[in-house]
Amino acid sequence: MNRFPCLVPMLLKMQLYSPKCIYKTFLLLTSIWLFSACNTDFDLKKKEDSDNTRLLAAYLYQIPGGAEIQAEARIKIGLLPPKTPGSESDTPAQITLGNKIFRDNTLSLNHVQSCHTCHPLDGNSAGMDSQSTSRGTSGQIGRRNAPTILNVGYLPIIFWDGRKQNLFDQAVAPFLDSLEMALPSEAELLTRLQNNSSYTGLFQNAFPDSPAISINSLRNALSAFERSLVSKSRFDDFIEWDLRALNNEEKQGLKTFMDLGCTNCHSGYLLGGNQFKKLDSFYSYNTNDLGRFEFTGNQDDKSFFKVPPLRNVALTAPYFHDGSVRTLKEAVTRMNQYEMSRPMTDSEINSIVTFLKSLSDKTKSN
């Protein structure tokens, strides 16, 4: 190890909070040492050793405070659980059935729309249709922006007004909504499933103890499929173990995001999605939409909407419940009007936008 004298004080100065970081550093040091020890011709390998030293130095010398930012983010945001709640008992057969139902156009009134129409997942699509408000199966205009379906299995609150609290209860609603797939009844939905012979074996495989096609099984299958839609971002890599996963600007944006109290509303590992906030300001929103009040009838709930989770936010414009904001910077600027500790500078807004882009699923781009 005498070829790398600078590494010892470097290691003594580092504070890597993650055990994985410590383990990876140890493995990298060991590998370099073994490689060098086995080298009988130092002059021929001098350049390779120097490159390895620079690589290790780049890994060890993160931006100042990188480990501290990681530790703070773990406390204020937390790690995304590897599986969604309830997915432990989901089977591949149930997920396969749910995927087919999710994509089946014949389950809309005129056979032209499916859940996948408003929540596309193929290729780089991030689970929403990029429309201000989606159109229904006959072209009818919806009232609210369709959020991404990615990570929906983690949400304790479904819909902008919170009228559903879990995927099972929510599953049938889009099929019967007059502004969406517009079927007249659950009975019609069941009849369409039963009249499609391709579903018989799928229901039997998914639910061998109750193989008959039923609305209850449909709810369970769709829930299983939607629980499987978990996204992973560079931010997850950073907060879990890899201090290099975010660049300097993104780390600074994360620090600004936390310092200004954005996590007070966009809280938890989804960065939102678990509480309601009143959305009113001098900005113009759809004044005909009274939010949670329309579900609860409670006067105190007027203009309250679910705080949206920020995962994949850079891929899911337009923003807000009415889809009235086209850019992420404008959305952050407007949020500066709500419960912030102080007004943000333009530089801070840009910094936060830079961080928010790191929340995107690594396989998606829209």
Side-chain angles (χ1 to χ4, degrees), residues 22 71 102 139 149 175 217 222 231 257 261 286-288 293-294 321 324 326 339 366:
I22 298 173
F102 188 83
I149 197 75
F175 298 102
S217 292
L222 270 176
S231 70
F257 183 86
N286 180 2
T287 56
N288 294 321
F293 166 79
E294 296 182 8
H321 63 284
S324 60
R326 303 302 304 183
E339 302 186 33
N366 257 18

Side-chain angles (χ1 to χ4, degrees), residues 283 320 325-335 349 353:
Y283 289 113
F320 297 94
V325 177
R326 303 302 304 183
T327 69
L328 187 53
K329 182 175 181 179
E330 176 64 15
V332 174
T333 301
R334 292 196 181 201
M335 281 296 98
I349 291 171
V353 169

Side-chain angles (χ1 to χ4, degrees), residues 97 101 104 106-107 186-200 203 213-215 217-218:
L97 172 58
I101 295 170
D104 191 347
T106 70
L107 300 180
E186 285 190 10
E188 175 64 19
L189 175 59
L190 182 59
T191 296
R192 294 195 180 201
L193 291 170
Q194 293 172 334
N195 288 343
N196 187 337
S197 61
S198 67
Y199 277 113
T200 303
F203 272 87
I213 296 175
S214 68
I215 294 297
S217 292
L218 174 144

Side-chain angles (χ1 to χ4, degrees), residues 353-366:
V353 169
T354 297
F355 156 64
L356 293 177
K357 293 178 180 179
S358 75
L359 298 172
S360 299
D361 183 90
K362 291 180 285 187
T363 69
K364 302 293 185 179
S365 65
N366 257 18

Side-chain angles (χ1 to χ4, degrees), residues 11 14-30 56 59-60 70 74 240-243:
L11 284 171
M14 286 298 296
Q15 293 182 2
L16 296 178
Y17 289 85
S18 168
K20 287 187 177 179
C21 288
I22 298 173
Y23 181 62
K24 283 172 67 67
T25 302
F26 172 76
L27 288 181
L28 186 55
L29 279 170
T30 303
L56 181 59
Y59 177 77
L60 293 175
Q70 180 197 64
R74 287 184 175 185
E240 287 174 7
W241 64 277
D242 188 0
L243 293 176

Side-chain angles (χ1 to χ4, degrees), residues 196-304:
N196 187 337
S197 61
S198 67
Y199 277 113
T200 303
L202 291 173
F203 272 87
Q204 291 173 347
N205 292 335
F207 304 103
D209 295 334
S210 53
I213 296 175
S214 68
I215 294 297
N216 186 73
S217 292
L218 174 144
R219 289 178 181 272
N220 282 316
L222 270 176
S223 299
F225 170 65
E226 291 169 354
R227 281 192 289 263
S228 73
L229 303 175
V230 176
S231 70
K232 293 287 285 185
S233 66
R234 289 185 296 108
F235 170 74
D236 291 301
D237 293 340
F238 170 77
I239 200 172
E240 287 174 7
W241 64 277
D242 188 0
L243 293 176
R244 300 169 300 169
L246 300 186
N247 61 36
N248 292 9
E249 291 75 17
E250 290 164 338
K251 290 174 185 175
Q252 184 57 50
L254 169 58
K255 179 170 175 55
T256 301
F257 183 86
M258 294 186 293
D259 287 349
L260 291 178
C262 300
T263 53
N264 292 335
C265 295
H266 293 282
S267 58
Y269 50 74
L270 291 181
L271 294 99
N274 54 15
Q275 59 179 310
F276 300 95
K277 288 292 182 179
K278 191 172 187 178
L279 190 65
D280 59 352
S281 75
F282 60 87
Y283 289 113
S284 176
Y285 297 100
N286 180 2
T287 56
N288 294 321
D289 190 339
L290 298 179
R292 187 157 171 74
F293 166 79
E294 296 182 8
F295 166 60
T296 66
N298 185 340
Q299 292 291 327
D300 293 336
D301 286 335
K302 283 186 176 179
S303 300
F304 274 79

Side-chain angles (χ1 to χ4, degrees), residues 102-103 115-131 145-152 229-232 309-319 357 359-366:
F102 188 83
R103 296 168 180 270
C115 303
H116 192 260
T117 305
C118 297
H119 300 285
L121 294 166
D122 293 340
N124 295 327
S125 296
M128 57 86 68
D129 60 6
S130 300
Q131 302 299 310
N145 177 258
T148 177
I149 197 75
L150 298 178
N151 301 311
V152 69
L229 303 175
V230 176
S231 70
K232 293 287 285 185
L310 295 180
R311 286 181 172 273
N312 299 296
V313 67
L315 306 178
T316 53
Y319 304 108
K357 293 178 180 179
L359 298 172
S360 299
D361 183 90
K362 291 180 285 187
T363 69
K364 302 293 185 179
S365 65
N366 257 18

